[in-house]
Amino acid sequence: MDQLGDPNGYLELSQNPIRFEPVSKVTNVFFDDTSKEVLSVRGGGTLGVVVRGVGRDHTFRMEDRGTISSLKFSPDHSVLAVQRSKNAVELLTYTDGEVGPGSVQECRAKAANMLGFIWTHNDDLVLVTDHGVEFYQTQQVAKDRIGVRHIRSYSLPCSWFVWSTECSLLLLCTGSSPTTTTLQPLIFKPGQSNKLTKFEVEVSSASGTHSTGVTLGERDVCVGTVYGLVTICVLRHPSTPTVAAHLDVYTQNKDGNFKRTHICRLELTGRFAVNIIDSLIIVHHQASKTSLLFDILLGGEVNGGITSVYPITVPRSIQPFSLVEPDAVPSTTSQPISLPCELYAPTWVVFQPDIVIDARLGCMWHLRLRLDCLTSSVEDKSQLVDCLLRRKQAKPLVLSVVRQVVESGQLASLGQIFDKINVAYRQHLNTVLQSQMGESVSAPVASNNAPERRGVVIEQADMYSSVLAPLMEEAEKEEARQAQQKDSTNHEGSRQTVVSPKMVVGVVIEYTRSLGAVGVTVQHFLYELVINALVRARQFYQLHQLLQYHVLADSKPLACLLLSLVGVYSAGQQLSLDMLCRLNTAHDEIIEVLLSQHQVTPALRYARSVGLGESVSARKFLEAAMVSGDRQVFYSTFTFFVLRNTRLRGSSAFAKGEHCDVYVEHYKTLFGELPDCGVQQA
């Protein structure tokens, strides 16, 4: 693999790295994994300490009191902790770029050697020694003095430790044997700590034989969050070069204990580094200069309750990166020099979740996912969509993949893809409903204690505007092109699949089937797309079948659409009436339809059957009867409303507000005297 990178790689380095002074004889570089800052110390601090991080860039000086092993700011940058000896740490006040006097905190265990220290929160300091853990709380009691209060100590042997700011978890290596290593997790909260159940991790070779010379170090362990759960990843190196390494994944269960749940099969040997970005486990391999992507929720072979997971796709290098440098030699041009960077360099060090540091170059990058490059390399599009649905900001890519599947004619997998999309959609709707009802909306936990966090929700409007409507537009253009040029063989040869209205109908029907399978009500505009497509293709029989067998669900908007198509699809009128009758909530619409067809008597009969005979508008019916030109229909209708007036108000006359005078005169013109209903007209 080219050391300068792969243009189609799934990962890229941030375009504007944080620059700092590289390591040299006079400069030491430290990384603060709590604040994600790089501190460059020149001349022991007397020549300056430069702090660089995202949104932070400042410099200060401090006295040279000996070789610095580590220095870190408290999260609020009010205290600077400096380690110069094996059993103590200096706590210095820091205000407005000035380091002031402070105090020295020694380890409580006098014979202990301090392995390091961490700030768990603004005032909480933890010293890690080979004798255990000491937990302190700091407070600035005077301008030049910092008070320290001991909170708790844990006495246990420790050879190394790993700290995760994101999880507030401290992981200690407390013992080892030829085949296993014991890890002790501690969880921290402001002013509090809790010792979790220790567990053992295997370090033996895959064959089960004892591993000669294979030990577990802190560089082989990382802690992060995968799908909302604290996860510990442990690299297991083979004892022989013929056996591939793999990555064991330990997940915290609901009881707070860690159990091995997955094995990421690396199929490689050598030096590795791990990042966890957006719940994807990324394993970098230095020898091949490639990175492998693992999504533990994609599943795999299960053996003894442990799932073997393989890379999502083939390993690829990070995309090429060039570092912009000012001109080293004066020249007439003002253009800066761009130098390609060596990727996966031996001087690279990675930190969680996405940080890469090259101390030789003096650069700190954030590693970014390039999911758009991932879409073209994964052949199983159903698996690809499953992965993308769990990624943040991946909605356009999911929709693009669906459209590509349709346009390439890979329709066999379309139903499965729609099912995955709509299961996530249903979960989103359930969450919204629970939120509106004031219920708990905590993520459900699966049997393997890994909640399926969905990062993307594809709603029906998204699918319509980005996939289905553009496909229909493409089908219309294709139809028009074929109409203009009958012999299009030469043109068709360059196309993989011709998108036709029939194909669009099939796609939409499959999508609506999937929506119905998860209990989601189909929006009207999807049915409208189907009906318009079938009418445009004059496939009336297919439309009739879809309506008859209720593939297209009954609704008022759908019935109105069928009525609007009566000019080209005469059966739509009766189908619309049948649909409205089945709904049993569209009585007014049915009456309007019947009156528009001049079926006055059936409309009046229907109104009486549903209990609307006493409330319907007399004017509306009389108008329809008069327009029909049928004397008998007008006579029957007029007589009905005169009798209704008599029954309701004791008079056969119409109320002034009904505006029926013109119909009374029309009756007199046709039949002379008004009907005798036993009550005198006013």
Side-chain angles (χ1 to χ4, degrees):
M1 180 63 64
D2 185 358
Q3 66 178 5
L4 298 182
D6 185 345
N8 297 317
Y10 324 123
L11 300 166
E12 68 176 1
L13 300 174
S14 53
Q15 292 300 312
N16 298 309
I18 293 173
R19 305 296 301 271
F20 56 88
E21 187 172 345
V23 173
S24 65
K25 292 182 179 180
V26 298
T27 303
N28 291 325
V29 176
F30 302 92
F31 178 71
D32 186 343
D33 52 3
T34 298
S35 60
K36 312 302 181 188
E37 296 172 344
V38 176
L39 295 90
S40 301
V41 182
R42 302 182 73 249
T46 58
L47 299 179
V49 178
V50 181
V51 182
R52 296 281 172 82
V54 177
R56 189 180 296 276
D57 186 353
H58 58 93
T59 304
F60 62 91
R61 296 180 185 272
M62 55 190 296
E63 295 182 17
D64 185 359
R65 298 177 182 173
T67 303
I68 297 176
S69 302
S70 177
L71 76 164
K72 300 176 183 178
F73 277 103
S74 61
D76 60 1
H77 279 69
S78 63
V79 179
L80 176 64
V82 183
Q83 180 186 351
R84 302 181 192 268
S85 65
K86 293 183 178 181
N87 63 351
V89 61
E90 298 177 34
L91 301 176
L92 308 176
T93 60
Y94 182 81
T95 307
D96 298 330
E98 296 290 336
V99 175
S103 58
V104 177
Q105 179 60 46
E106 295 184 349
C107 299
R108 294 173 68 87
K110 299 303 181 183
N113 290 323
M114 191 162 63
L115 303 177
F117 65 90
I118 52 176
W119 290 97
T120 59
H121 296 89
N122 285 337
D123 302 319
D124 295 351
L125 179 68
V126 173
L127 306 185
V128 183
T129 73
D130 56 0
H131 283 50
V133 174
E134 301 176 9
F135 186 22
Y136 298 93
Q137 196 164 57
T138 65
Q139 183 179 8
Q140 187 170 349
V141 296
K143 185 177 181 180
D144 58 350
R145 183 169 174 268
I146 296 176
V148 180
R149 180 172 66 91
H150 176 255
I151 298 178
R152 189 171 185 180
S153 291
Y154 298 93
S155 179
L156 67 171
C158 179
S159 54
W160 51 261
F161 70 94
V162 174
W163 165 251
S164 171
T165 303
E166 291 73 28
C167 304
S168 296
L169 183 132
L170 177 63
L171 191 66
L172 309 175
C173 176
T174 60
S176 62
S177 70
T179 58
T180 62
T181 295
T182 303
L183 299 180
Q184 174 64 65
L186 300 171
I187 197 77
F188 287 86
K189 296 180 181 180
Q192 302 178 17
S193 64
N194 186 25
K195 184 179 178 182
L196 304 181
T197 304
K198 65 181 179 180
F199 62 100
E200 293 186 344
V201 299
E202 297 180 10
V203 295
S204 62
S205 63
S207 61
T209 60
H210 286 200
S211 52
T212 305
V214 177
T215 59
L216 187 69
E218 61 180 296
R219 63 168 289 110
D220 300 319
V221 178
C222 74
V223 181
T225 302
V226 177
Y227 296 113
L229 294 179
V230 178
T231 302
I232 299 173
C233 298
V234 179
L235 278 167
R236 289 179 61 186
H237 297 279
S239 58
T240 60
T242 58
V243 180
H246 58 268
L247 185 77
D248 288 342
V249 179
Y250 293 80
T251 304
Q252 189 177 29
N253 59 25
K254 61 183 179 180
D255 297 323
N257 301 326
F258 287 91
K259 294 188 65 176
R260 186 168 60 159
T261 56
H262 298 82
I263 299 176
C264 296
R265 302 293 181 179
L266 305 182
E267 307 295 339
L268 295 168
T269 60
R271 186 180 178 186
F272 300 92
V274 179
N275 284 114
I276 300 176
I277 304 176
D278 198 7
S279 294
L280 286 179
I281 299 174
I282 301 170
V283 182
H284 310 288
H285 185 229
Q286 187 182 45
S288 64
K289 296 187 181 298
T290 58
S291 298
L292 300 86
L293 272 64
F294 294 89
D295 184 351
I296 63 173
L297 289 189
L298 289 181
E301 301 174 0
V302 180
N303 185 9
I306 301 173
T307 304
S308 292
V309 184
Y310 291 88
I312 299 173
T313 184
V314 295
R316 283 187 179 176
S317 177
I318 298 171
Q319 293 192 4
F321 182 86
S322 294
L323 199 60
V324 178
E325 297 283 4
D327 290 344
V329 179
S331 62
T332 57
T333 178
S334 61
Q335 293 295 326
I337 298 175
S338 182
L339 301 176
C341 290
E342 179 187 359
L343 303 178
Y344 304 91
T347 51
W348 274 23
V349 182
V350 303
F351 297 93
Q352 299 307 317
D354 60 355
I355 291 176
V356 176
I357 293 179
D358 191 328
R360 179 179 58 84
L361 281 179
C363 291
M364 181 175 77
W365 294 277
H366 288 274
L367 203 58
R368 310 297 188 197
L369 287 171
R370 284 294 302 270
L371 297 176
D372 55 327
C373 295
L374 185 66
T375 58
S376 60
S377 62
V378 179
E379 295 183 1
D380 188 340
K381 300 305 180 185
S382 176
Q383 187 182 66
L384 173 62
V385 168
D386 200 13
C387 176
L388 291 177
L389 284 171
R390 291 188 282 267
R391 308 279 79 79
K392 301 172 184 177
Q393 311 299 325
K395 178 183 289 189
L397 290 176
V398 174
L399 295 169
S400 175
V401 170
V402 174
R403 184 166 178 178
Q404 290 173 14
V405 168
V406 175
E407 293 179 332
S408 62
Q410 303 174 14
L411 302 182
S413 62
L414 196 59
Q416 192 175 14
I417 290 174
F418 282 149
D419 289 343
K420 293 179 183 297
I421 290 174
N422 290 326
V423 166
Y425 184 31
R426 175 76 268 179
Q427 291 175 352
H428 168 72
L429 294 178
N430 290 343
T431 301
V432 171
L433 181 61
Q434 292 175 2
S435 177
Q436 292 174 346
M437 297 176 64
E439 298 178 4
S440 173
V441 293
S442 57
V445 178
S447 58
N448 63 351
N449 300 304
E452 287 207 26
R453 179 190 59 81
R454 294 283 177 173
V456 170
V457 176
I458 307 296
E459 300 186 21
Q460 297 179 59
D462 299 322
M463 189 65 68
Y464 175 83
S465 60
S466 298
V467 179
L468 303 177
L471 284 174
M472 178 57 70
E473 183 179 355
E474 187 175 341
E476 292 174 351
K477 291 180 179 179
E478 179 65 23
E479 198 172 48
R481 189 184 66 82
Q482 290 182 353
Q484 293 176 359
Q485 186 176 359
K486 294 181 180 180
D487 185 9
S488 57
T489 305
N490 294 335
H491 295 272
E492 297 296 337
S494 62
R495 297 173 59 90
Q496 291 183 342
T497 302
V498 177
V499 180
S500 63
K502 184 177 181 180
M503 176 183 288
V504 177
V505 170
V507 171
V508 180
I509 292 301
E510 182 62 27
Y511 180 58
T512 57
R513 176 210 61 78
S514 178
L515 287 169
V518 296
V520 176
T521 302
V522 180
Q523 296 293 321
H524 163 63
F525 50 76
L526 294 175
Y527 288 148
E528 184 176 350
L529 193 66
V530 172
I531 293 174
N532 288 335
L534 291 174
V535 170
R536 186 177 293 106
R538 305 194 69 79
Q539 296 178 337
F540 300 122
Y541 176 76
Q542 289 83 347
L543 175 57
H544 190 87
Q545 292 290 100
L546 293 176
L547 293 168
Q548 183 177 356
Y549 292 102
H550 307 297
V551 177
L552 305 181
D554 295 343
S555 68
K556 288 183 181 180
L558 185 57
C560 294
L561 176 61
L562 290 171
L563 281 176
S564 68
L565 297 173
V566 169
V568 292
Y569 181 46
S570 58
Q573 183 171 295
Q574 188 58 47
L575 289 171
S576 173
L577 284 174
D578 294 342
M579 185 178 295
L580 292 172
C581 287
R582 289 193 297 270
L583 289 171
N584 200 32
T585 58
H587 305 311
D588 293 336
E589 288 81 356
I590 294 175
I591 291 172
E592 291 290 345
V593 171
L594 292 173
L595 291 178
S596 67
Q597 300 171 359
H598 307 299
Q599 299 184 42
V600 183
T601 302
L604 198 55
R605 190 179 299 118
Y606 179 82
R608 294 183 64 187
S609 68
V610 296
L612 297 178
E614 304 297 324
S615 59
V616 293
S617 169
R619 179 183 177 186
K620 183 183 298 184
F621 279 82
L622 291 172
E623 173 69 21
M626 188 173 69
V627 172
S628 70
D630 189 322
R631 289 167 54 93
Q632 185 60 40
V633 169
F634 186 80
Y635 179 84
S636 301
T637 305
F638 191 88
T639 302
F640 170 82
F641 285 105
V642 166
L643 291 172
R644 188 184 75 169
N645 293 341
T646 303
R647 184 170 58 257
L648 295 179
R649 297 195 298 270
S651 172
S652 61
F654 291 97
K656 292 184 177 181
E658 293 183 284
H659 304 289
C660 293
D661 295 343
V662 63
Y663 310 116
V664 172
E665 295 300 323
H666 184 67
Y667 182 90
K668 291 179 179 179
T669 302
L670 294 177
F671 306 107
E673 294 295 329
L674 293 174
D676 185 7
C677 299
V679 180
Q680 194 69 25
Q681 286 289 324

